[in-house]
Amino acid sequence: MVSRSSALEDLAAEVAALREEIQIHNRYYYEEDNPQIADAQYDALLRELAQKEQQWLEEQRLALQAELTALQAQGGDIETWIRQQEIRQQLQDLTADSQSPTQIVAGKAAAGFTTVRHQVPMLSLDNVFNQEEFAAFFRRLQERLGEGLSLSAEPKFDGLAINLRYEQGVLVQAATRGDGETGEDVSTNIRTIADIPARLQAQHPPAVLEVRGEVYMSKAAFLALNAAALASGGKTFANPRNAAAGSLRQLDATITATRKLSFFAYGYGEIQGFALPETYTQFLAQLRCFGFPVCDWQRSLIGGVAAAARYMDELAAEREALPYEIDGVVFKTDAFAAQQALGFRSRAPRWAIAWKFPAMEKTTLVEGIDVQVGRTGAVTPVARLQAVEVGGVTVTNATLHNADEVARKDVRVGDTVFVRRAGDVIPEVVKVVVEKRPADSQPFVMPEHCPVCGSEVLRPEGEAVARCSGGLHCKAQRVQALIHFASRKAMDIQGLGDKLIEQVVENGSVHSPADLFKLSLADWAALPRMAEKSAQNVMNALEAAKQTTLARFIYALGIREVGQVSANLLAQHFRRLPELIQADEIQLQAIDGIGPVMAQYIRHFFLDAANLTVMEDLQAQGIVWQEMEVQEIADDSPVSGKTIVMTGTLAHFTREEAKAALEKLGAKISGSLSAKTDYLLAGEKAGSKLNKAQNLGVVIVDETHLISWLAEGGML
């Protein structure tokens, strides 16, 4: 049996090791802007340390109490009495180490910057990670403040905390948070940020007003910065937070000025000659009047845990569409009187908490690098990972995109890497922690031959993607091509899923799309786990799919670069398949929306005799479509030549009706929103596209505009 003293020594050693590990990560994150682990893993380390420190305190208390009890029972001399007094004092002094990472704000001023001592400490925030933990925080508030308290909610920005000092309305100093007591003077760099006013917009400004907030880099600015760095062979950043921190802490302010940093205000430090309003929400309104940007997502909430959870869900649904990175929500008691009543702990206020989203980024190990072969023959390297949970999903693979990307990031087997997952996007490796690389690691080399069929892998000049040259001879391409052919937006063969297609390719009964229609009921029923009723359902779906449209048929062929919109353009323009097959590249490029690259792929597809045979075979199996009517396109309508994206539900039109009508007016209907989009037609329950359009400056119209356009075009 392990003695209590031995257990205490082991626990103390674990606490010391955790503290040392966290201090190392603090240095990488705060001082070098080069994190070695993801935020979620750092949070987990900090929580583990806090638990072990609490456990150590409790074990120490029990050990001292046991010794005191034994001495009291023993009675005895003066030395025994003195020891009893020492133990009582030790029990009284038994508190957390004030220098532990759990008790202090991490970070310190970097060399090269003048240090600034904050008149009012800049503290950190405690974190919760689920509704149960938030409910415990809210109960503590209620115990102190009573029922009916109002909370403020706003996004937790992923940037760098800054203190801006204004005297008589003029910006005189800007400092980073540092360790909470002392930060770096970054005044010159801060003055390059257009969002931050050099002078308060006030006729009678406060004698002293310290405004606190977050310097951040927008997603667009981050992508542009990394793209420019790639082009010049410079350093790329793992995420916008590190990019913002690295940009603000430049000794040369002219570099900071090129980085397009932004700012949101959300707090205050020292104040003289200024009376705070009653609530934080009112204070933010005052900051807006002074000229500071304040986040539009800030809300004042009444309703406790339920209201907070609804806000979390609402913001989480829009997270990907926001122009800046966030990693959770900050909740505060809205009334300043309540904040003052609750006060502070050593490193964080008692009146605020950060409820964090599930991590979108984690670090893990690369166990191998495989290559996958897609429908068009693209050979894509994929990192095989030690399983890690990212954003609530267990991730075991992450895309490496192409050979150039692997070489640029220098991803190797055995590396520790950052893996990011955003929304439904395939997880990707975003950074290698080179400091943890095994000494015997070797650079990855793309294979010269396809791992599926053995055909040569070719990389056309000027293209980033390497491709298998095997065509339909390659099973991987055959399977993916058939999956695309049967998909809902192509031939819509309901019930013919990926597994069934893999089985009929594997057993050799299907080599081309036409072969799907040649299989008998017995052929389908003979497949593993296929009852006769299921087989009949597949046969019925195949029969139904024979009645299609030219646009669907073109899209189903899987021509490179030809999506639904392009297939529709081709069908509308040529109306008959023979005319499309005979079209040369000049004729193809004459269609608005068909560029030279796409035209080249289309022409090459129809010059391939094997592809022509497949199309003839498909029509021989009974696939037909009605000849398309000539659609007269208005060239003088208000939306002629305009690109329109639709979102939400319309009251008087179906989506297809609105699309057809707008196309007759000469508009181009797109499914994806970009800065080149002219209009977003938004109906009821518009989704994230509405926010994205606002951020991109796209003109937003509703159904009344559609009706007006149709009336002006003589269609109503």
Side-chain angles (χ1 to χ4, degrees):
M1 184 175 180
V2 179
S3 67
R4 172 165 280 163
S5 62
S6 176
L8 269 172
E9 288 176 4
D10 291 345
L11 194 54
E14 291 176 22
V15 167
L18 276 171
R19 287 176 178 173
E20 183 179 357
E21 184 177 359
I22 289 171
Q23 294 288 19
I24 290 171
H25 288 304
N26 283 343
R27 175 170 57 81
Y28 276 115
Y29 187 91
Y30 291 103
E31 298 170 34
E32 299 184 16
D33 301 319
N34 182 31
Q36 305 293 290
I37 58 174
D39 288 353
Q41 287 154 306
Y42 176 86
D43 289 339
L45 283 176
L46 206 59
R47 285 160 71 89
E48 182 183 359
L49 175 59
Q51 291 167 357
K52 288 191 180 296
E53 286 179 338
Q54 190 59 42
Q55 183 184 350
W56 184 87
L57 286 171
E58 187 59 29
E59 292 289 340
Q60 184 78 346
R61 184 175 291 107
L62 290 172
L64 290 170
Q65 192 62 57
E67 184 181 354
L68 180 60
T69 301
L71 289 173
Q72 288 172 333
Q74 175 182 326
D77 54 21
I78 185 66
E79 289 184 1
T80 302
W81 181 86
I82 290 172
R83 177 57 185 152
Q84 290 180 38
Q85 300 311 306
E86 289 175 348
I87 292 174
R88 290 190 178 95
Q89 187 61 48
Q90 287 176 312
L91 285 168
Q92 188 175 338
D93 295 340
L94 201 57
T95 58
D97 184 349
S98 62
Q99 295 305 305
S100 168
T102 61
Q103 304 300 310
I104 61 174
V105 177
K108 70 176 185 179
F113 288 97
T114 304
T115 58
V116 174
R117 186 160 189 83
H118 300 302
Q119 298 301 312
V120 176
M122 293 184 70
L123 302 182
S124 186
L125 288 172
D126 288 334
N127 299 321
V128 294
F129 296 88
N130 53 53
Q131 187 167 326
E132 183 181 355
E133 292 178 351
F134 179 82
F137 161 77
F138 191 73
R139 281 195 301 272
R140 292 194 295 272
L141 295 184
Q142 288 182 315
E143 288 168 2
R144 294 284 301 275
L145 302 172
E147 300 291 332
L149 64 97
S150 176
L151 294 176
S152 168
E154 62 194 320
K156 183 179 182 297
F157 310 109
D158 206 5
L160 194 68
I162 291 293
N163 185 78
L164 307 173
R165 185 177 178 86
Y166 290 82
E167 295 179 359
Q168 304 302 329
V170 178
L171 177 62
V172 297
Q173 188 181 74
T176 62
R177 182 173 64 181
D179 63 4
E181 298 287 341
T182 303
E184 305 152 348
D185 188 330
V186 290
S187 304
T188 304
N189 292 355
I190 281 291
R191 289 189 173 94
T192 69
I193 301 176
D195 286 350
I196 296 176
R199 184 182 295 271
L200 300 182
Q201 296 175 14
Q203 287 187 341
H204 304 288
V208 174
L209 176 63
E210 289 187 345
V211 176
R212 290 177 175 174
E214 199 89 357
V215 170
Y216 67 94
M217 182 174 285
S218 70
K219 294 174 182 176
F222 169 70
L223 293 174
L225 175 63
N226 269 357
L230 278 176
S232 64
K235 172 190 174 184
T236 58
F237 290 93
N239 53 55
R241 188 269 166 200
N242 295 123
S247 299
L248 189 61
R249 298 165 82 180
Q250 292 287 329
L251 295 178
D252 183 354
T254 60
I255 297 177
T256 306
T258 66
R259 298 289 178 86
K260 295 186 180 179
L261 297 175
S262 302
F263 176 78
F264 276 131
Y266 55 62
Y268 66 92
E270 184 182 10
I271 291 176
Q272 295 178 25
F274 175 75
L276 284 173
E278 290 185 2
T279 67
Y280 173 72
T281 300
Q282 293 168 343
F283 174 66
L284 290 183
Q286 179 62 67
L287 288 182
R288 197 188 296 271
C289 291
F290 281 151
F292 293 99
V294 174
C295 182
D296 291 335
W297 271 91
Q298 191 273 338
R299 303 281 190 275
S300 181
L301 305 177
I302 296 176
V305 177
R310 284 195 298 271
Y311 179 89
M312 282 288 292
D313 290 342
E314 181 185 2
L315 190 56
E318 297 297 330
R319 183 180 181 186
E320 289 303 309
L322 293 176
Y324 44 80
E325 291 284 0
I326 63 173
D327 59 1
V329 173
V330 176
F331 292 96
K332 307 172 183 177
T333 54
D334 200 24
F336 281 129
Q339 293 184 11
Q340 291 165 5
L342 291 166
F344 303 85
R345 283 189 290 274
S346 58
R347 69 185 293 273
R350 291 188 175 92
W351 42 263
I353 204 81
W355 185 349
K356 288 201 166 184
F357 292 130
M360 305 298 279
E361 194 171 275
K362 288 279 188 73
T363 52
T364 188
L365 289 175
V366 178
E367 295 183 336
I369 298 178
D370 303 327
V371 291
Q372 293 180 348
V373 184
R375 173 173 60 87
T376 62
V379 179
T380 305
V382 175
R384 202 161 17 90
L385 307 171
Q386 188 176 85
V388 61
E389 187 174 296
V390 185
V393 174
T394 300
V395 172
T396 55
N397 296 294
T399 181
L400 295 170
H401 299 292
N402 53 57
D404 288 346
E405 192 74 355
V406 179
R408 181 179 72 79
K409 294 175 180 174
D410 193 17
V411 182
R412 305 182 186 185
V413 175
D415 276 346
T416 297
V417 295
F418 279 76
V419 178
R420 181 180 297 151
R421 177 182 175 272
D424 295 326
V425 177
I426 299 169
E428 66 169 332
V429 171
V430 294
K431 177 188 174 185
V432 174
V433 183
V434 179
E435 291 82 353
K436 296 185 178 182
R437 169 170 287 164
D440 59 350
S441 71
Q442 296 294 320
F444 171 75
V445 178
M446 283 287 285
E448 295 181 356
H449 294 88
C450 174
V452 177
C453 69
S455 298
E456 188 177 3
V457 171
L458 303 174
R459 181 177 172 182
E461 186 177 350
E463 291 195 15
V465 178
R467 298 183 187 277
C468 165
S469 59
L472 287 177
H473 167 68
C474 177
K475 280 187 178 180
Q477 292 183 66
R478 195 182 312 156
V479 167
Q480 294 302 319
L482 289 168
I483 289 172
H484 172 77
F485 180 84
S487 65
R488 183 175 60 85
K489 295 178 180 180
M491 297 300 290
D492 193 21
I493 307 174
Q494 298 180 18
L496 184 58
D498 299 3
K499 294 296 182 184
L500 282 178
I501 290 174
E502 288 172 4
Q503 288 177 34
V504 293
V505 169
E506 188 62 36
N507 67 20
S509 57
V510 171
H511 295 86
S512 82
D515 291 340
L516 292 170
F517 298 90
K518 299 175 183 177
L519 296 181
S520 67
L521 178 65
D523 292 329
W524 289 109
L527 296 175
R529 295 182 294 280
M530 274 289 279
E532 186 169 333
K533 183 178 180 180
S534 299
Q536 185 62 58
N537 288 339
V538 173
M539 292 288 289
N540 293 342
L542 284 163
E543 189 63 31
K546 290 179 180 179
Q547 299 291 327
T548 187
T549 66
L550 178 57
R552 278 183 175 271
F553 183 78
I554 294 169
Y555 176 62
L557 293 175
I559 306 168
R560 280 192 66 194
E561 301 290 336
V562 175
Q564 282 182 280
V565 173
S566 305
N568 191 52
L569 289 173
L570 292 168
Q572 290 282 356
H573 184 83
F574 291 104
R575 297 189 296 119
R576 297 178 66 250
L577 187 59
E579 278 76 358
L580 171 59
I581 292 173
Q582 295 300 320
D584 60 27
E585 292 183 32
I586 295 174
Q587 291 172 303
L588 290 165
Q589 290 182 59
I591 304 172
D592 189 13
I594 306 295
V597 174
M598 190 189 301
Q600 185 180 52
Y601 287 137
I602 295 169
R603 185 63 185 144
H604 284 185
F605 182 88
F606 290 122
L607 285 174
D608 190 318
N611 292 330
L612 296 178
T613 299
V614 168
M615 287 186 289
E616 290 170 1
D617 208 359
L618 283 167
Q619 292 177 84
Q621 295 305 313
I623 290 181
V624 294
W625 53 84
Q626 289 185 342
E627 185 172 320
M628 297 188 69
E629 297 179 1
V630 177
Q631 183 172 300
E632 293 185 8
I633 304 296
D635 58 5
D636 58 352
S637 80
V639 292
S640 179
K642 303 294 185 182
T643 300
I644 299 177
V645 174
M646 294 188 288
T647 185
T649 303
L650 301 176
H652 301 94
F653 302 86
T654 66
R655 185 74 68 88
E656 288 304 314
E657 288 170 344
K659 178 176 180 290
L662 286 167
E663 286 176 340
K664 285 184 179 180
L665 289 176
K668 292 179 287 187
I669 308 303
S670 175
S672 59
L673 196 68
S674 74
K676 295 181 179 179
T677 303
D678 294 296
Y679 297 106
L680 176 72
L681 174 57
E684 290 294 321
K685 298 181 181 178
S688 60
K689 285 179 180 176
L690 185 59
N691 280 337
K692 185 175 181 181
Q694 291 169 337
N695 295 329
L696 291 172
V698 173
V699 177
I700 299 168
V701 297
D702 58 20
E703 194 166 0
T704 60
H705 290 82
L706 172 60
I707 294 170
S708 174
W709 290 336
L710 295 178
E712 192 172 338
M715 297 180 62
L716 286 180

